Amino acid sequence: MALGDPGRAEASPRPVASAPGAHHAFADGQALEIAGEAAAEERLAPARFGPLRATLLLAVAVVLAALNLRAAVTSASSLLGDVRTGLGASAAWTSLLTTAPTLCFAIAGLAAPALARRVGLARAIGVALAVLGVGLVVRVLGGAGVMLGGTFVACAGIALANVLVPVVVKESFAHRVGLMTGLYTAALQGSGALGSALTPPLEGPAGGWRGALVLWAGLALVALVVWVVSARHRPAAEAPRGARRPSWGRLLRSPVAWSVTAFMGLQSFLAYVVMGWLPQIYLGAGLSKGAAGVMLSIATLVAVPFSLMVPAVAARRRSQSGWNAGLTLLAIAGTIGLMLAPAAVPWLWALLLGASMTVFAMAMTVITLRARDAETAAGLSAMAQGFGYLLASTGPMLVGLLHEATGGWTVSLLALLVALVAQLVAGVLAGRPRLV
């Protein structure tokens, strides 16, 4: 039986409630589903492509695609010192390199739905994986400019897939959404852990940082081949009557929408500072290159079980403010630990920061719960991801420039603490039971 077939399959998630203060049922993974809602406008126009056929091979392709969506970022950050030394690059270049993912995510939040409407999800995700693979190869072929350009190309591919792959999970595996969401989320988080843990040990056998980094293009190639073989559209269906595009004017005037957007952006600010700079902070504290990579792996991997459990529980409550605040306080504690005694119990600070990154799933959850209907959810998701990632893109660059200016990490971590206090406020506001 195909994975998307009914029968003994899981029930589809219940729709967003329309009454203020309503309790919301939340299936495992509804938080992930809304990540694809930014591309839902492709279903608001006459359909040219139906959903992809749900097969076991397509499920494997989804997992393989997810395994590529963080490793390109964390593999480079785990060798950032060697890369900078080898290229003779400046601090500004290093900060821009760590900022590339979030800049690309902001742009792709707008570009991905249009690409999927024009060529279909199958081809759009195939293009994304091909672009990712090309960027991973190009970035190791030349000097600092080529490295930066290749990274932008690779991150553009990641950004497109980041928006579009969850649409496949939602549309093609609607009756197995809990299972597929768990697999996708685990692969996504595990990708970051693998990139940071495996790349430093590979540097020696691969003949240097260039060889170690280019190996990740092989994973993109495998994912692309499996995707091309497995991704096939079903016949297109008519768009539902009365379907409409969300009102951007109403969203932009809504304090609720802006609180959700701020929460999304600030939690991404933390996530990409951690993925971009945590190994360097630990190296500065005296840890070895391998140990620093392991600390980043801990921080990215510990979020997997928390992301699967916490949002499902929190979404059943009338308010999510307490959960958002509690997770943010974990990040504040971890950041203070890094600032005061980074080498004392490095694994503890990594655990605290990793557990706190469950706020990504909570941010996706509140997008669902604060929207009064599916069309509003699509617009709110696009707004939160587009503007939010623009805000997040300032984080890695700011932290890097402050480090270069001061010669240490204290001022950089103080700036991160300020952002976390703002995240605390935004999370409390976004968690209140109000509708856009």
Side-chain angles (χ1 to χ4, degrees):
M1 182 176 67
L3 289 184
D5 292 339
R8 298 177 60 188
E10 299 170 358
S12 299
R14 291 167 59 184
V16 177
S18 59
H23 289 271
H24 299 273
F26 185 81
D28 290 346
Q30 190 172 348
L32 172 69
E33 291 177 24
I34 193 60
E37 289 291 344
E41 66 173 325
E42 70 170 316
R43 299 189 297 276
L44 303 183
R48 295 176 56 198
F49 302 93
L52 299 180
R53 297 182 184 278
T55 64
L56 179 60
L57 191 58
L58 181 66
V60 173
V62 166
V63 172
L64 285 172
L67 282 172
N68 283 275
L69 300 186
R70 294 293 179 269
V73 178
T74 57
S75 61
S77 65
S78 66
L79 297 180
L80 194 57
D82 290 350
V83 172
R84 180 182 172 184
T85 301
L87 297 175
S90 66
W93 176 91
T94 307
S95 298
L96 186 56
L97 186 73
T98 59
T99 303
T102 48
L103 285 174
C104 290
F105 290 169
I107 296 169
L110 301 175
L115 178 64
R117 281 200 310 275
R118 180 172 294 274
V119 304
L121 273 174
R123 290 180 181 174
I125 294 174
V127 168
L129 292 172
V131 169
L132 168 60
V134 169
L136 292 177
V137 173
V138 168
R139 70 176 179 174
V140 303
L141 296 181
V146 173
M147 177 71 178
L148 190 59
T151 298
F152 270 98
V153 171
C155 288
I158 293 172
L160 289 171
N162 203 44
V163 172
L164 296 177
V165 172
V167 180
V168 179
V169 174
K170 177 171 184 172
E171 289 188 337
S172 299
F173 299 97
H175 298 285
R176 301 279 189 182
V177 69
L179 171 64
M180 284 304 301
T181 298
L183 292 173
Y184 175 86
T185 304
L188 189 72
Q189 299 283 8
S191 170
L194 288 173
S196 58
L198 296 182
T199 308
L202 289 172
E203 188 177 13
W209 63 265
R210 294 180 190 270
L213 292 182
V214 80
L215 289 174
W216 293 102
L219 182 60
L221 177 61
V222 171
L224 176 59
V225 170
V226 177
W227 184 263
V228 168
V229 172
S230 66
R232 296 291 183 270
H233 284 280
R234 297 202 298 263
E238 291 294 325
R241 293 193 176 190
R244 58 182 176 82
R245 297 178 188 271
S247 170
W248 277 98
R250 178 165 60 86
L251 288 171
L252 293 174
R253 291 191 299 269
S254 169
V256 178
W258 280 112
S259 67
V260 171
T261 298
F263 185 45
M264 169 63 78
L266 289 164
Q267 66 82 26
S268 297
F269 186 109
L270 167 69
Y272 284 94
V273 167
V274 169
M275 285 195 290
W277 289 111
L278 187 62
Q280 300 304 308
I281 294 173
Y282 278 125
L283 285 172
L287 272 69
S288 68
K289 189 188 307 179
V294 169
M295 292 304 108
L296 179 56
S297 299
I298 291 173
T300 52
L301 195 57
V302 73
V304 175
F306 283 95
S307 296
L308 292 174
M309 295 184 295
V310 171
V313 176
R316 293 188 172 94
R317 304 293 185 265
R318 186 169 181 269
S319 170
Q320 293 73 46
S321 296
W323 289 92
N324 295 342
L327 290 169
T328 304
L329 289 173
L330 292 179
I332 290 174
T335 302
I336 291 174
L338 275 181
M339 186 168 57
L340 298 181
V345 276
W347 56 268
L348 177 59
W349 315 138
L351 282 174
L352 290 171
L353 289 168
S356 74
M357 286 197 288
T358 308
V359 291
F360 169 73
M362 288 302 303
M364 307 307 275
T365 301
V366 297
I367 292 174
T368 307
L369 301 182
R370 300 292 84 86
R372 65 181 66 250
D373 53 41
E375 288 73 33
T376 301
L380 182 57
S381 180
M383 175 179 171
Q385 293 191 62
F387 289 111
Y389 280 127
L390 282 176
L391 171 61
S393 69
T394 65
M397 180 172 288
L398 176 63
V399 167
L401 292 177
L402 288 175
H403 168 63
E404 185 68 18
T406 61
W409 292 104
T410 300
V411 176
S412 297
L413 292 172
L414 282 173
L416 181 58
L417 281 175
V418 171
L420 286 170
V421 171
Q423 177 184 309
L424 180 66
V425 174
V428 169
L429 294 175
R432 291 177 178 177
R434 301 169 296 167
L435 297 177
V436 177

